[in-house]
Amino acid sequence: GSSITGALAAVDGSALTGISGGKVLQSVEAILSSSQYSTSSSYSTVLYASITPSATSSKILVLGSVNYNLYGNGSTNHPNGFFALNQEISGGADTQITENQTSFSGNVGGDSTDQQNSGIFLSKLFSPNTTSQVDCKIRMKATSGRIGILGQSSTPNYSVINVLEICTSISI
């Protein structure tokens, strides 16, 4: 094989094209330990994870795997609700970044005591433009009947949130 000896010339990468950056700098995971249920039509935080970006140019990727339960709660044949992802930077405004509706798949049993378990996936890539702590939250609310998010203690299909800091540029 060949070998190079001696001092190498400095390389200027300014003329390079077709190079894109992107790598995971850090990741945080939170698993819901116990199921939570609500009939409230107001959002409440049910699971969150915090991350502190290392650079203002970093992007944050939030991935939420939500396993849920819908129940008529004696009041409706069609329970439904919403799950949302929110971000909060250093105790500032709690801002919704995406939302997904859940609904009972048809009128399976025809009465208000029917229940259904299912799952949804929430994801969002955003630029917080900060090196301060970013709290990423899964929130839920019921719009009819009762909604629940399933935790690790009650089912093998528990809910989890993953938050990743993504470097979007590289230095050459």
Side-chain angles (χ1 to χ4, degrees):
S2 300
S3 63
I4 299 175
T5 58
L8 298 175
V11 176
D12 177 7
S14 62
L16 297 175
T17 60
I19 295 178
S20 61
K23 73 174 191 174
V24 175
L25 299 178
Q26 60 176 314
S27 65
V28 180
E29 177 179 75
I31 297 171
L32 186 66
S33 58
S34 298
S35 299
Q36 298 177 37
Y37 300 92
S38 177
T39 57
S40 174
S41 60
S42 298
Y43 271 114
S44 62
T45 299
V46 291
L47 184 60
Y48 74 94
S50 300
I51 197 164
T52 302
S54 59
T56 56
S57 60
S58 294
K59 292 190 180 287
I60 301 297
L61 177 61
V62 186
L63 306 170
S65 177
V66 176
N67 288 285
Y68 65 89
N69 169 270
L70 292 174
Y71 171 56
N73 206 40
S75 63
T76 181
N77 294 353
H78 301 284
N80 58 73
F82 286 87
F83 286 97
L85 287 177
N86 283 43
Q87 69 162 350
E88 179 183 319
I89 300 172
S90 291
D94 194 348
T95 307
Q96 184 174 300
I97 54 178
T98 190
E99 182 181 57
N100 197 330
Q101 183 176 14
T102 63
S103 60
F104 204 96
S105 297
N107 192 358
V108 178
D111 68 45
S112 60
T113 60
D114 289 341
Q115 295 191 49
Q116 174 188 0
N117 288 352
S118 193
I120 59 168
F121 189 75
L122 299 165
S123 66
K124 187 67 176 182
L125 179 68
F126 65 96
S127 301
N129 299 314
T130 188
T131 55
S132 297
Q133 178 175 305
V134 178
D135 297 329
C136 298
K137 307 172 182 181
I138 295 177
R139 298 174 54 93
M140 76 174 182
K141 71 176 180 178
T143 50
S144 179
R146 185 191 75 184
I147 191 168
I149 183 170
L150 303 178
Q152 195 172 29
S153 63
S154 61
T155 176
N157 300 321
Y158 53 85
S159 301
V160 62
I161 186 171
N162 290 280
V163 182
L164 294 82
E165 178 187 4
I166 309 292
C167 172
T168 58
S169 61
I170 58 172
S171 300
I172 298 195

